[in-house]
Amino acid sequence: MNIYSLKAESLYRRFQVQPCFSNAPARPWASLLRSTAGSTVLGSIVIVLASCGGGGSDGGGAFPIVPAASPQQEAPATYTIGGTVAGLEGASIVLKNNAGDDLVVTSDGRFSFTTPVVMGADYSVSVSSHALWQLCAVSNATGKVESEVSNVTITCSVALAQVTKLAGTGSPGSANGNGSAASFKLPFGLALDSSGNIYVSDWSNQLIRKVSPTRDVTTFAGSGQIGSDNGPALSATFSSPYSTAVDSIGNVYVADYANNQIRKISPASEVTTLAGSLTAGSSDGKGSAASFSNPTGVAVDANDNVYVADFENNLIRKINSLGEVTTLAGSGAAGSKDGVGADATFDGPVSVAVDARGNVYVGDYLNNMIRKITPSGSVTTLAGSRTEGSADGIGSAASFSNPAGVAVDANGSVYVADSGNHLIRRIGPTGIVRTLAGSAGQYGSVDGTGTSASFKTPFSLAIDGNGTIYVADTYNHLIRKITPTPSLELGKL
């Protein structure tokens, strides 16, 4: 048997055995073989000449033609999806394509998804996660893939602040009730618990009030009389309670200003004195052996350590879970020096807030600055200078006027109740200070968006996990609520 491969312009003999058709009449395959020799044949055909026997009277059977293997099918073309991001300012966002292929973007510039998309398929880009008070819009977000996609545009900006009244009549009083039926008298501080309840230090009423998520205002602690009595919450007494904080199990802490004490209200509604005595001082120690001088700010970290802005002592103090008081930072002298521990100075530190990493932020009231203290006690100036003003900007280029309350969100942005300017400010992750609400130097109680809203010497604020800000609008005798809303620029995209 002979096996031949028929190719263009030649016939190649591949294997040779004794031909069985040498004396046999011509068969169609033989004619094909002869006519093919020396001719041009496109492609490649292998003809197997089988044994002569068993195929018919001439001894020549039918000879199978083995077809060439089918050509391998080409994979469909794929293309990447990408574009540009602008306006992150140190924050990060998470993008999705077709509800998957998560992509974390941490800086402005170009981006592209890891997983390519088959030609002809649809793509749909969305922002699945962004920092609080940062809103992003997507243009050229959807389409059908026909080539590389590089024109998806993500534009981010700080949200606008929508200000409304949450509780209070606007006139001084102590009435309980829902929303505007309730009244306060110089609410100086507030704090949130994990259920969304707000605890208000109602300064002139000598009370701690509670505002539920449904805006019901009740008296949480205090009889309304001036004093320092411990005991059941509603029979206990305070003397100018300035601020509040809540720990992980629901204990409420109070900076009891005129009593020079830090008080504690348990979930069982029992009031005790955590640290300090009626005698002003700056001694470290445990419980009543420690002393403060007009403590104004109080905050709690993730381990339930309590931090105190010791106003008249120009110190930041720390109380551990055993009730032991130490000095975290400050020398006791008035000043604005950065440094570690006692090498740093403050001038009227009025408020404190703690982030998830244990950094403490201080409203340095008389210095017109926001300071930052690391867990090791290193003090730096985050924003502002000793020069009073209302300028937005970065670091010392920004200015404040008696910044009172501070709060920090999960992304590390710091919010400031700029009391002397009647403003609510935000310091972003890169240190950029922006005014969220209010108009500098203009006080009032108007609800509205951004600069159209007004406050009157706001002294405290808190922020929840959704980015909603609650403000103790002190001299308006109100509790205000600020929610983020898309900016006009994003609305046009």
Side-chain angles (χ1 to χ4, degrees):
M1 177 178 70
N2 294 313
I3 301 176
Y4 294 89
S5 176
L6 295 169
K7 289 194 175 181
E9 301 182 3
S10 58
L11 180 67
Y12 297 94
R13 184 179 181 107
R14 301 293 299 277
F15 301 98
Q16 184 172 11
V17 295
Q18 181 63 38
C20 65
F21 56 88
S22 57
N23 297 318
R27 298 293 184 207
W29 51 265
S31 299
L32 173 64
L33 190 60
R34 293 189 195 100
S35 64
T36 303
S39 65
T40 300
V41 180
L42 300 177
S44 176
I45 305 174
V46 177
I47 300 179
V48 180
L49 307 182
S51 165
C52 296
S57 59
D58 298 327
F63 295 89
I65 297 178
V66 180
S70 300
Q72 188 173 7
Q73 194 164 2
E74 292 184 9
T78 59
Y79 298 100
T80 58
I81 309 299
T84 57
V85 174
L88 289 184
E89 293 186 359
S92 64
I93 57 174
V94 179
L95 304 180
K96 286 182 180 290
N97 182 32
N98 294 328
D101 198 15
D102 286 12
L103 176 66
V104 178
V105 181
T106 59
S107 61
D108 291 351
R110 298 205 61 80
F111 72 88
S112 61
F113 288 95
T114 303
T115 306
V117 178
V118 176
M119 182 174 182
D122 293 329
Y123 67 90
S124 178
V125 178
S126 60
V127 178
S128 67
S129 176
H130 55 79
L132 297 177
W133 280 87
Q134 180 186 58
L135 298 180
C136 301
V138 186
S139 58
N140 303 318
T142 61
K144 192 174 291 293
V145 176
E146 297 179 354
S147 61
E148 298 288 339
V149 176
S150 60
N151 66 337
V152 179
T153 303
I154 315 291
T155 304
C156 302
S157 70
V158 176
L160 292 177
Q162 182 65 49
V163 181
T164 56
K165 294 178 180 67
L166 181 71
T169 62
S171 298
S174 60
N176 291 323
N178 184 267
S180 60
S183 56
F184 305 88
K185 190 175 183 181
L186 297 179
F188 265 80
L190 51 74
L192 286 161
D193 69 13
S194 58
S195 299
N197 297 296
I198 304 169
Y199 297 88
V200 179
S201 49
D202 198 354
W203 166 279
S204 289
N205 280 325
Q206 318 300 335
L207 301 174
I208 306 301
R209 315 289 291 282
K210 179 179 178 179
V211 186
S212 75
T214 56
R215 302 173 65 202
D216 287 324
V217 179
T218 55
T219 297
F220 183 68
S223 67
Q225 301 297 311
I226 294 175
S228 59
D229 295 337
N230 291 321
L234 296 180
S235 61
T237 54
F238 301 89
S239 184
S240 301
Y242 196 100
S243 65
T244 55
V246 187
D247 71 13
S248 62
I249 61 173
N251 292 302
V252 177
Y253 300 90
V254 180
D256 199 357
Y257 179 85
N259 278 329
N260 302 306
Q261 294 176 333
I262 305 303
R263 313 288 290 281
K264 178 181 175 180
I265 309 168
S266 73
S269 298
E270 190 75 16
V271 178
T272 56
T273 299
L274 177 67
S277 68
L278 298 177
T279 302
S282 60
S283 299
D284 289 341
K286 186 173 181 179
S288 60
S291 56
F292 305 89
S293 183
N294 296 142
T296 49
V298 63
V300 180
D301 69 12
N303 297 315
D304 291 339
N305 295 301
V306 179
Y307 297 84
V308 180
D310 197 354
F311 185 80
E312 294 292 347
N313 281 326
N314 298 310
L315 299 174
I316 304 301
R317 317 289 291 279
K318 179 180 178 179
I319 311 173
N320 67 16
S321 59
L322 299 176
E324 296 169 338
V325 179
T326 56
T327 298
L328 177 65
S331 68
S336 59
K337 180 185 175 184
D338 290 340
V340 178
D343 288 334
T345 55
F346 303 89
D347 194 358
V350 72
S351 61
V352 283
V354 190
D355 69 15
R357 297 181 178 180
N359 297 300
V360 179
Y361 300 87
V362 181
D364 200 355
Y365 188 80
L366 298 177
N367 275 328
N368 301 307
M369 295 175 172
I370 305 302
R371 314 289 290 280
K372 178 180 178 180
I373 311 173
T374 66
S376 62
S378 179
V379 180
T380 55
T381 299
L382 180 65
S385 69
R386 290 184 65 86
T387 302
E388 186 176 354
S390 60
D392 289 342
I394 299 176
S396 60
S399 55
F400 302 88
S401 177
N402 299 141
V406 288
V408 60
D409 69 20
N411 304 115
S413 293
V414 178
Y415 301 80
V416 181
D418 193 357
S419 67
N421 283 321
H422 314 291
L423 300 175
I424 304 301
R425 318 284 291 278
R426 177 182 184 265
I427 308 172
T430 58
I432 299 175
V433 179
R434 282 195 171 90
T435 298
L436 290 182
S439 183
Q442 304 296 315
Y443 63 83
S445 59
V446 177
D447 289 342
T449 302
T451 57
S452 66
S454 57
F455 304 87
K456 189 175 183 181
T457 322
F459 260 86
S460 183
L461 76 177
I463 185 167
D464 68 16
N466 297 317
T468 302
I469 301 170
Y470 300 89
V471 179
D473 193 0
T474 306
Y475 281 81
N476 276 325
H477 313 289
L478 295 171
I479 306 301
R480 312 287 288 278
K481 178 180 178 180
I482 307 176
T483 53
T485 187
S487 67
L488 296 177
E489 288 78 7
L490 292 182
K492 295 175 183 177
L493 295 177

